[in-house]
Amino acid sequence: MPRRTSHRTTRLTRFLTAGAAATLLLTAGCSAGADSGDSGTTLVAYTGQAGDYQVNFNPYSPSDIGGAGLIFEPLFFINKTAADAEPKPLLGTEYAWNDAGTELSVTLREGATWSDGEAFTADDVVFTFQMLLDHEALNSTGFDGTVTKVDDTHVTFTWAEPAYTSGPDVLSTIVIVPEHLWKDIDPEADVLEEPVGTGAYTLSEFKGQAFTMDANPKYWGGAPKVSKVRFLALSGNQAGADAIAAGTIDWQTGPIPDMANTNKNFPNYDTGSVSQNQMVLGACANAALGCEGPQTDPAVRQALFHAIDRTQLNKLAFQDTATEISPSMALTSTQADTISAQVEPKVAPATAEPETSARILEAAGWAKGPDGIYAKDGQKLTLTIEVVTGWTDYITAIQTIAAQAKAAGIQVETAQSSWNEWTDKRFKGNFELAIDSLWQGPAPDPFYLYSYFYDGRMTAPVGTKANGNNYSRFSDPAVDAALDELQTLSPEDTAGRQARFDVIQSAVATQMPYIPVMTGSNTSVWNVAKFSGWPTNDDQYAFPAVWSDFDAAEIFKTLTPKAAS
């Protein structure tokens, strides 16, 4: 059966250290903020943008800088940080599946208008989804159904087979665009300089070093209390940390020194975080597809997994902000109920287990040499981990893992390269290990991560770019079959779904093509003296990351400036 998988991701920008250049850009960025007339109801945000912005608010463009979420809306918002998340109505107000799971009916919001005053109707929804079918390059969710207008406020989505797992993508990750304007543009190539959306904000000013959005007075939900949102271009974590210290930005998602004591060090600020993206050592794992190196042996991957002292790693590389990770790759926070009883251990060891590593390697025919490093068939157990130059937290992590692995008889080396080179190596299979994070899907369901990274049909032989996110080149027909079956099962069929998760997780935990490290915490630093209503541990109403478009939109709409309260 055809695969329906989502590949739309939020702009997960890594925060890089840029030394002296950061200071220069910080000065320029602060000037841009001051020039725009800051006030108590203006929020200044930093997404990690390094260097000047290039204008483009086309939400379907890879270089979109802010079209999705604030300007263009999906039908619903799904909070992926909550295990029992229910879709929150946006342009849609109600939805229902038929008994067969092949038809999804959606009621649309009455009275919503585009920011140019035109009415929003079902025609816009039909146009948007047909645009995706007509432009494969834009169809990142793999939508393969049909959409039919019932009347101005009702549409029906139909598939040839049950498509329950497609529901969250259709409802919450595809933004609706205005037919009356988009019918005359090339959605793949055109850059939008004056976007027209239904969202809570409209673009009011653009400069390379900053752009500003104003609260939309015509917004169906009422104009937000944060009257302006200004996005600055700085240059990575040092510039962002300096801006927090200077009080010139109100929100960034990225590390600053001594994050645990943010409020003590900077009384106007505090932090909020959620552990969501699993950090891994992704392996080019499939020798049958051309992968080469010791990491193609599952025993080596398992041994390295047990060699990591995660408590020490967390302290040295992540300021104790990372959390536990399961070998099943299901989140222990929101997906714990799906972790198979067949997976042991349920959670990765907190401290190193060199004896376990030794037992696994020796059972697979590896023998320790006089230098303390294992070898087999004349091949020394040396592994190279690829990392992007400037990813300071990950570089520290690899250095720490290298020392830990050596104690278990595994030699680890580091190779740094540019983002483009690192990406090219991974997706063409020209690497042994690469440190990175796996991401979650549109709903708190591990199906999506498995479909992104473990589907054997979403990869390619070494030398050819993988046609999906499965850069490890992992392939298991039983996993592929279980993914297909999960698509057809109702979310309420917990027993049936668990049986398929058992198959997938047993393979994931045993083969370990992505070696689990820890679950990364995306920590935001935000101005609590100027704004109230930020997500808290007791009320995580959205994922607290400024670069996560749809979540950020919900946060901006929820905040109240204290000057106006």
Side-chain angles (χ1 to χ4, degrees):
M1 67 186 296
R3 296 291 300 125
R4 292 183 287 271
T5 58
S6 170
H7 301 288
R8 177 183 176 87
T9 61
T10 51
R11 296 192 305 275
L12 180 56
T13 306
R14 298 294 307 171
F15 295 85
L16 314 182
T17 301
T23 304
L24 294 175
L25 282 170
L26 174 60
T27 303
C30 290
S31 296
D35 288 345
S36 299
D38 191 14
S39 73
T41 60
T42 297
L43 189 151
V44 182
Y46 173 48
T47 63
Q49 171 73 21
D52 285 358
Y53 287 105
Q54 302 298 314
V55 63
N56 187 2
F57 293 92
N58 178 345
Y60 286 99
S61 169
S63 58
D64 166 40
I65 62 171
L70 289 177
I71 297 174
F72 296 96
E73 297 180 295
L75 298 172
F76 293 81
F77 168 73
I78 297 180
N79 179 7
K80 55 182 174 287
T81 69
D84 56 351
E86 288 293 329
K88 176 182 177 180
L90 294 175
L91 291 178
T93 58
E94 297 178 354
Y95 70 95
W97 285 99
N98 68 352
D99 291 341
T102 57
E103 187 175 286
L104 178 63
S105 298
V106 178
T107 302
L108 304 177
R109 184 173 298 280
E110 294 186 54
T113 62
W114 298 99
S115 55
D116 64 358
E118 291 287 325
F120 159 76
T121 72
D123 292 327
D124 299 308
V125 178
V126 173
F127 172 83
T128 298
F129 281 87
Q130 188 59 49
M131 178 183 72
L132 299 186
L133 294 172
D134 294 341
H135 295 267
E136 184 177 357
L138 305 181
N139 195 4
S140 60
T141 66
F143 175 68
D144 59 357
T146 60
V147 58
T148 304
K149 174 183 175 179
V150 178
D151 55 40
D152 278 350
T153 57
H154 294 85
V155 294
T156 300
F157 298 90
T158 306
W159 290 267
E161 298 174 319
Y164 290 107
T165 57
S166 294
D169 275 328
V170 166
L171 296 176
S172 70
T173 70
I174 296 171
V175 297
I176 310 304
V177 298
E179 179 186 22
H180 68 282
L181 297 176
W182 278 59
K183 63 183 175 62
D184 297 322
I185 73 169
D186 180 348
E188 293 187 38
D190 285 0
V191 172
L192 294 189
E193 297 186 16
E194 299 179 0
V196 172
T198 60
Y201 286 85
T202 61
L203 180 68
S204 61
E205 180 184 33
F206 178 85
K207 296 179 180 179
Q209 294 170 349
F211 65 88
T212 303
M213 294 190 185
D214 287 354
N216 180 3
K218 301 176 183 177
Y219 186 51
W220 56 262
K225 295 178 181 178
V226 176
S227 65
K228 293 179 182 289
V229 178
R230 184 177 310 119
F231 295 94
L232 299 186
L234 301 178
S235 68
N237 60 351
Q238 186 59 56
D242 289 347
I244 293 291
T248 55
I249 60 174
D250 299 311
W251 183 12
Q252 78 154 24
T253 304
I256 64 172
D258 194 22
M259 283 193 293
N261 293 306
T262 296
N263 191 243
K264 177 180 178 182
N265 297 332
F266 309 109
N268 287 343
Y269 293 85
D270 214 334
T271 61
S273 63
V274 172
S275 296
Q276 192 77 10
N277 298 314
Q278 294 102 319
M279 295 180 285
V280 298
L281 299 176
C284 189
N286 195 335
L289 288 179
C291 294
E292 297 180 352
Q295 83 289 341
T296 59
D297 183 346
V300 169
R301 303 194 293 268
Q302 285 274 0
L304 185 55
F305 167 77
H306 287 281
I308 299 173
D309 184 329
R310 292 171 175 80
T311 300
Q312 181 189 54
L313 179 67
N314 199 8
K315 182 178 295 295
L316 295 179
F318 306 119
Q319 296 191 50
D320 284 327
T321 62
T323 59
E324 65 186 14
I325 190 169
S326 171
S328 71
M329 302 309 290
L331 287 173
T332 60
S333 54
T334 56
Q335 302 165 10
D337 290 347
T338 70
I339 297 178
S340 173
Q342 300 171 16
V343 173
E344 285 294 339
K346 297 287 186 296
V347 174
T351 57
E353 298 178 340
E355 298 85 0
T356 302
S357 298
R359 175 176 52 78
I360 292 171
L361 288 172
E362 289 166 11
W366 294 86
K368 186 174 287 188
D371 59 354
I373 303 300
Y374 280 94
K376 182 180 180 181
D377 299 330
Q379 181 184 36
K380 194 172 182 178
L381 185 41
T382 300
L383 300 167
T384 299
I385 303 178
E386 305 283 345
V387 66
V388 174
T389 301
W391 284 9
T392 53
D393 53 349
Y394 276 178
I395 292 170
T396 300
I398 295 173
Q399 293 168 344
T400 303
I401 290 172
Q404 296 169 349
K406 188 174 183 179
I410 304 170
Q411 184 169 309
V412 169
E413 298 176 347
T414 303
Q416 297 187 34
S417 58
S418 69
W419 165 270
N420 288 337
E421 183 181 359
W422 176 82
T423 301
D424 187 69
K425 287 180 180 179
R426 284 191 311 139
F427 281 97
K428 289 184 179 177
N430 299 319
F431 73 104
E432 292 182 346
L433 297 171
I435 189 167
D436 195 15
S437 292
L438 308 187
W439 57 81
Q440 297 295 308
D445 184 335
F447 164 82
Y448 297 99
L449 181 143
Y450 299 143
S451 69
Y452 301 162
F453 295 99
Y454 295 91
D455 187 335
R457 296 156 293 189
M458 303 303 290
T459 193
V462 169
T464 302
K465 185 177 179 180
N467 65 347
N469 294 304
N470 182 1
Y471 65 88
S472 80
R473 287 159 167 79
F474 173 79
S475 181
D476 185 328
V479 169
D480 295 344
L483 287 170
D484 287 343
E485 291 161 4
L486 279 167
Q487 292 182 94
T488 70
L489 297 179
S490 166
E492 298 177 0
D493 184 3
T494 54
R497 298 185 88 238
Q498 188 59 56
R500 277 69 177 186
F501 284 142
D502 288 347
V503 171
I504 295 170
Q505 293 175 0
S506 293
V508 164
T510 302
Q511 296 297 313
M512 214 167 275
Y514 303 93
I515 303 168
V517 178
M518 300 194 76
T519 302
S521 181
N522 296 280
T523 301
S524 279
V525 182
W526 42 44
N527 194 325
V528 293
K530 190 174 174 182
F531 301 96
S532 61
W534 300 103
T536 65
N537 290 337
D538 294 330
D539 185 15
Q540 286 285 0
Y541 61 85
F543 180 53
V546 69
W547 42 256
S548 186
D549 298 326
F550 301 134
D551 297 277
E554 291 302 307
I555 292 172
F556 287 130
K557 289 189 293 184
T558 302
L559 294 176
T560 297
K562 292 190 174 180
S565 60

